[in-house]
Amino acid sequence: MSFTNAPVTRSLVYGLIGISIGASLLDIKHYFYILVDLHLWQFHQIWRALIYQLCYTNSTEVLFAAMTLYNMRAVERMWGSRKFATFIFVTSLFTSWLVPAVLALFLRPLTLGLFNYLPAGPTPIIFAVLAQYHAMIPPIYKYKIATSTSTSTSTDDQTQGITFSDKSYRYLLAFQLALFQWPGSLLGALVGWMLGLSWRMEVLPRSLIRWRLPGWVVGMRTQGRSQEFEGLRRRLEGENGSTAATSGAQGQADAEGGRRRTMGQQVIDQFQGAF
């Protein structure tokens, strides 16, 4: 259990826990959630949209969010810290205004003011990362929970039941996080998931997807050194490709030569090599 090669995820987990505890100790939790009619329409507190994802106001939500982020640290390891930090930054910018806008301009009027509350917490960001985790990380193993008590000697494949994988409990944690303060938390989860899929399918502008934060944000000392490693990686890939092509051509030539020679010629070649 470690955050090896995942410094951005470590900062997210520690920051979320620290800010949530600080907001509770300082008694400022009431600044982080949004009531559309009161905070946005009456007092015009637009700044709440910029800070509502900084912390949770419930200790249970903090626990589930920290566990979910920790379980998804493999995304940063596969992407690299710089790309992952860029994804978190871009996602937070979109969700900071998109979720309150959908709630205030669409859901609240359609429900006649019933949907009016947006809870605090980075649930949209977590579900955007979860969309990447779902697409990138394959399950290691699967298991089935039988739902029938059949006494027939049927095979395991024919047994009626529900199939789970080692990733199922991670989805369960996130699903509970989306339902803690629904419908606001569920709205944030859906918007975050759709935004993560949009990034994955390159629906967003290509220039935005290819843009990266400066290297010093994630601890890179110099940009030149990262470019040096990138150039080394490309050269190694080129050498491996050329070596594989050469080996394949040589093996094909040897095979064709072996087909042309008779069995007696091959035996003579073996004795000539020995002497």
Side-chain angles (χ1 to χ4, degrees):
M1 295 179 62
S2 66
F3 288 103
T4 304
N5 298 324
V8 178
T9 304
R10 179 181 59 209
S11 300
L12 288 175
V13 173
Y14 290 169
L16 177 63
I17 296 174
I19 297 176
S20 299
I21 293 176
S24 180
L25 293 177
L26 298 176
D27 196 18
I28 56 174
K29 294 189 295 184
H30 56 279
Y31 287 114
F32 292 95
Y33 60 83
I34 298 177
L35 291 172
V36 175
D37 57 349
L38 180 65
H39 298 144
L40 297 184
W41 297 148
Q42 184 174 352
F43 293 106
H44 307 289
Q45 296 177 348
I46 308 299
W47 51 268
R48 286 179 177 266
L50 302 177
I51 67 171
Y52 82 94
Q53 297 184 96
L54 292 179
C55 69
Y56 285 102
T57 57
N58 189 301
S59 59
T60 307
E61 291 177 298
V62 176
L63 175 62
F64 278 76
M67 293 173 62
T68 304
L69 286 172
Y70 176 80
N71 289 325
M72 296 188 299
R73 64 193 185 280
V75 176
E76 181 181 357
R77 291 173 177 172
M78 296 184 67
W79 269 1
S81 297
R82 190 178 180 186
K83 181 178 179 180
F84 185 73
T86 303
F87 173 74
I88 295 297
F89 178 75
V90 173
T91 302
S92 63
L93 289 181
F94 273 93
T95 54
S96 62
W97 63 268
L98 189 58
V99 179
V102 172
L103 178 61
L105 301 179
F106 295 97
L107 290 183
R108 185 177 180 273
L110 290 176
T111 59
L112 302 178
L114 182 62
F115 289 0
N116 186 57
Y117 174 70
L118 182 63
T123 302
I125 299 177
I126 292 175
F127 270 80
V129 180
L130 185 65
Q132 312 303 322
Y133 178 83
H134 174 72
M136 296 169 57
I137 310 300
I140 299 177
Y141 59 87
K142 294 183 179 181
Y143 57 95
K144 180 180 292 186
I145 298 179
T147 58
S148 62
T149 58
S150 176
T151 58
S152 61
T153 59
S154 59
T155 61
D156 293 339
D157 294 337
Q158 297 176 349
T159 303
Q160 295 183 357
I162 304 175
T163 303
F164 295 94
S165 69
D166 61 298
K167 297 171 60 177
S168 299
Y169 80 94
R170 295 175 172 88
Y171 297 141
L172 180 61
L173 290 175
F175 184 71
Q176 290 178 336
L177 190 63
L179 296 181
F180 271 128
Q181 299 191 54
W182 77 285
S185 58
L186 183 60
L187 172 64
L190 292 176
V191 172
W193 181 271
M194 296 302 298
L195 188 60
L197 290 181
S198 300
W199 177 287
R200 186 76 185 174
M201 301 173 63
E202 297 186 353
V203 177
L204 300 177
R206 188 176 298 270
S207 59
L208 182 63
I209 296 176
R210 293 183 177 181
W211 175 75
R212 296 291 181 269
L213 289 171
W216 57 266
V217 175
V218 293
M220 292 183 179
R221 296 182 179 179
T222 59
Q223 187 176 2
R225 189 164 184 82
S226 62
Q227 293 177 351
E228 178 182 352
F229 282 115
E230 182 68 18
L232 179 60
R233 183 184 65 82
R234 292 179 180 177
R235 288 196 298 270
L236 289 175
E237 289 179 353
E239 292 176 359
N240 291 335
S242 61
T243 302
T246 304
S247 300
Q250 183 66 30
Q252 184 177 2
D254 293 341
E256 293 177 355
R259 296 191 195 102
R260 299 191 193 100
R261 292 180 297 174
T262 62
M263 181 65 69
Q265 291 175 345
Q266 294 181 19
V267 173
I268 294 174
D269 292 339
Q270 291 292 333
F271 280 106
Q272 288 179 352
F275 294 103

